[in-house]
Amino acid sequence: MVGKRQEKREALRRNLIGAAAARIEEGGLSAFRARDVAADVGCALGTIYTVFQDLDDLILQVNAETLQDLGRSLAPTSDVETPKTALTALAQGYARFAAKNFNRWNALFDHRMADGGPSPDWLLAHHSTLLRLLERHIAKLTPGLAGEALTLRARTWFAAVHGIVSISLQKRFLGLPDDRLMEELEVFVGQVVAGSGR
Amino acid sequence: MVGKRQEKREALRRNLIGAAAARIEEGGLSAFRARDVAADVGCALGTIYTVFQDLDDLILQVNAETLQDLGRSLAPTSDVETPKTALTALAQGYARFAAKNFNRWNALFDHRMADGGPSPDWLLAHHSTLLRLLERHIAKLTPGLAGEALTLRARTWFAAVHGIVSISLQKRFLGLPDDRLMEELEVFVGQVVAGSGR
DNA sequence: TGTACATCAGTGAACGCGCGTTCACTGATGTAC
DNA sequence: TGTACATCAGTGAACGCGCGTTCACTGATGTAC
């Protein structure tokens, strides 16, 4: 049976990604070690390198999964709502996901390619998918906007919300208090929506 | 002369911070090495540790300087302008500073305390000073807002602008194209200002 | 079904390098008389 | 002003550790006949 080997391989791969995700969530990217993942999965250190090119590769796989999880947790934003309701729900859903999966979510932004180059295309595609969730509602809000300009506006919108969530959650310096975050997001979205009607 | 020793000491300290800032600006925090700084200044490796507690300490000093530079470059925002003009100028000024001092600016947010703890108070104080630049104009915009609530709103405002600038400049994934950043900031500030009039 | 051989997933000790930090030392600067 | 001594800034070779990655090996799985 040829398929059995492949099945085992695939299971190993999933286990490694799962263990890596758990480790990243536990201690953040900076405390992430190949040896820990191997120990968690119960395989030899070298085994990781028979499945992934290097540690960076493994981290990218984890990030891809995180993006998919994020997408799933934002999905129930249907068309029937007003743009304001929908955009508020998306912003707050993003904040909730970030808070619940803090270190994995951070890894999305902390991780830099070893050569300093851009992320691989397949990862960028995940991002675009998520941005399209926003575009729908922003288009309703500002009917004149379409194509390139709409995509750009969605990016700006995401970036602003991300900034608010990000500064709030890494309490390092000027963090917003946690309990106020949801409130601030609602006010913020309300302001931008109110100011967009032209 | 006792003062002469202290003078030399102070000069060495400034040289080290200057060289460190240059190195950070050149290659980013992740490529920052004690040996490089020592070589640039022309002193021994160990000398760094006679002036600073450890490398972290030196990095914090560089960050403090960066914050001061940022403050200076934003300062010419006088009271006579409308809130919209002033807030647009501040947002675009922030973007300009970030673009010109990209790696030093990044270091402000990339750097984590070794023990995972918060930044020292004297560094937080620098942040607060900068936030006060915003408060002035936001207060004019929304007269009902004061005290704690005003500070919070200023933080949210800063975080949103920071997010837009940050996602744009680290081109990694969904970066806004550089030349559109200033434009997007203007539109964005316009929207929030328009939506704040209550 | 059984035997001999080939392939390849998985192993883990060892390599190699980078780099922050230390510490015994030295030479310059300051003090006492 | 000059000499002897004390202090302390500055030195840089060496330490120590962490950790990603490799590679010669082994044992399990699959194939041929």
Side-chain angles (χ1 to χ4, degrees), chain B residues 5 9 12 35 43-47 50:
Chain B
R5 260 198 199 175
R9 213 92 230 291
L12 175 61
R35 279 164 177 77
C43 70
L45 182 55
T47 302
T50 68

Side-chain angles (χ1 to χ4, degrees), chain B residues 47-169:
Chain B
T47 302
I48 292 173
Y49 296 85
T50 68
V51 181
F52 304 97
Q53 203 163 9
D54 51 28
L55 262 205
D56 246 42
D57 186 15
L58 174 52
I59 293 169
L60 285 178
Q61 304 302 327
V62 171
N63 279 352
E65 247 201 31
T66 304
L67 282 175
Q68 280 176 329
D69 288 353
L70 171 59
R72 270 191 288 275
S73 92
L74 292 180
T77 316
S78 80
D79 281 297
V80 296
E81 306 163 279
T82 64
K84 182 174 167 178
T85 319
L87 288 167
T88 304
L90 281 170
Q92 293 183 337
Y94 184 70
R96 229 183 327 270
F97 182 88
K100 263 195 198 131
N101 307 276
F102 181 66
N103 281 327
R104 268 165 81 208
W105 168 74
N106 252 325
L108 291 177
F109 300 92
D110 275 2
H111 182 253
R112 311 282 149 97
M113 292 276 96
D115 52 23
S119 306
D121 286 342
W122 57 265
L123 192 58
L124 298 183
H126 282 292
H127 286 267
S128 301
T129 305
L130 290 178
L131 277 187
R132 235 161 283 136
L133 288 178
L134 281 174
E135 288 187 19
R136 252 170 55 202
H137 302 291
I138 293 175
K140 260 199 233 166
L141 200 66
T142 324
L145 222 53
E148 168 94 351
L150 177 59
T151 304
L152 209 60
R153 189 59 40 86
R155 286 179 180 187
T156 302
W157 180 280
F158 165 77
V161 169
H162 171 75
I164 295 172
V165 172
S166 171
I167 294 271
S168 171
L169 292 184

